[in-house]
Amino acid sequence: MAARRRKNDFIFSLFILVLSYISNIQGKSTKYVTCGSVIKLMNIDYKVRLHSHDIKYGTGSGQQSVTGTESKDDANSHWLIKGETKKQCTRGKPIKCGGTIRLEHLITKKNLHSHHVKSPLSGKQEVSAYGDTRGDGDSGDHWMVICDNDFWQRDTPIMLQHADTDSYLSVTGRTYGSPIVGQTEVVGEYAQYHAEWQAMEGLFIHPTDLKSHHHEHTEL
């Protein structure tokens, strides 16, 4: 069992390494963000990427912290797009504007989450990463994609509205000290302040992948 676990850890580490260093690989163009894609999300106002890591909040819920980072290369900024809890979305299917998704942190397998708990720096609504190692959590992991088109377009900013509390995924601009020095506070905000995000680097699954097994990498 230990040998198998080490092998699985090695394979996963290799996958992350490949995701982190592939650059400018040209693939078939698609303008949509799709189910099953692995992406980085950048806040439009603060230019930080949505980030998490195996570090828990010292206050509030004590769940895994979620922050913003200026680094473009950090593997801890990869998020897998999934359907709602206990519902499957079709791999490669474009995400509808107004649709509900989950974002699973690729390395720790926890879901982007929020709830009525105060955030550490500003006292706004805490955003955390929550769930078990299978990527299972609860309805606090559900986010509605707010955009003006029929589907989430890669070159167009969107907002993510938390389904349980109606708050918007946002950045305050306040920065943490040790042990996450310089990383930015991510919160739930009830006004649409600093709440626009855009899909940046990623591994984008195409609608035809179920037949052809092709996908497109952008710079990770």
Side-chain angles (χ1 to χ4, degrees):
M1 292 293 292
R4 181 181 299 174
R5 188 178 303 111
R6 286 194 297 270
K7 181 179 179 181
N8 290 340
D9 289 345
F10 172 77
I11 292 172
F12 183 72
S13 298
L14 183 62
F15 175 65
I16 292 298
L17 187 65
V18 170
L19 280 181
S20 298
Y21 289 100
I22 289 175
S23 64
N24 296 326
I25 295 178
Q26 296 301 314
K28 181 175 50 177
S29 175
T30 179
K31 64 180 181 178
Y32 298 121
V33 176
T34 57
C35 179
S37 293
V38 176
I39 65 172
K40 293 183 181 181
L41 282 169
M42 184 185 74
N43 183 268
I44 295 297
D45 290 336
Y46 285 102
K47 309 303 181 189
V48 293
R49 283 157 174 75
L50 188 67
H51 181 269
S52 191
H53 36 225
D54 193 14
I55 298 174
K56 294 179 171 57
Y57 285 124
T59 60
S61 68
Q63 293 175 3
Q64 183 171 300
S65 57
V66 171
T67 62
T69 179
E70 293 180 349
S71 173
K72 297 180 181 179
D73 303 323
D74 196 323
N76 277 298
S77 300
H78 290 120
W79 299 85
L80 169 66
I81 299 177
K82 306 188 298 185
E84 297 178 52
T85 302
K86 297 183 179 179
K87 291 185 180 180
Q88 297 292 326
C89 61
T90 302
R91 185 173 180 267
K93 185 176 181 179
I95 302 298
K96 289 183 178 180
C97 294
T100 300
I101 63 169
R102 289 177 294 163
L103 289 167
E104 179 184 308
H105 188 241
L106 193 63
I107 291 181
T108 64
K109 302 298 184 185
K110 295 185 184 297
N111 299 316
L112 186 69
H113 181 88
S114 193
H115 41 214
H116 290 298
V117 175
K118 288 186 177 180
S119 64
L121 301 182
S122 64
K124 294 183 181 294
Q125 184 167 300
E126 181 187 273
V127 172
S128 64
Y130 172 79
D132 60 27
T133 56
R134 298 170 303 189
D136 293 335
D138 60 26
S139 64
D141 306 336
H142 293 165
W143 298 85
M144 183 183 297
V145 178
I146 307 298
C147 45
D148 294 330
N149 304 296
D150 292 332
F151 298 98
W152 180 358
Q153 297 187 10
R154 286 169 54 177
D155 62 355
T156 304
I158 56 99
M159 292 187 291
L160 291 169
Q161 186 173 25
H162 189 240
D164 278 359
T165 66
D166 294 329
S167 65
Y168 295 90
L169 185 70
S170 180
V171 173
T172 66
R174 299 193 184 194
T175 55
Y176 289 99
S178 180
I180 48 177
V181 178
Q183 293 187 21
T184 306
E185 184 184 41
V186 172
V187 299
E189 172 67 76
Y190 285 92
Q192 296 177 0
Y193 297 142
H194 312 302
E196 287 190 311
W197 301 81
Q198 186 165 340
M200 300 298 288
E201 306 84 0
L203 189 158
F204 292 86
I205 305 299
H206 295 277
T208 56
D209 279 358
L210 293 177
K211 296 179 180 178
S212 63
H213 304 290
H214 290 302
H215 51 254
E216 176 188 354
H217 299 272
T218 62
E219 187 174 340
L220 297 170

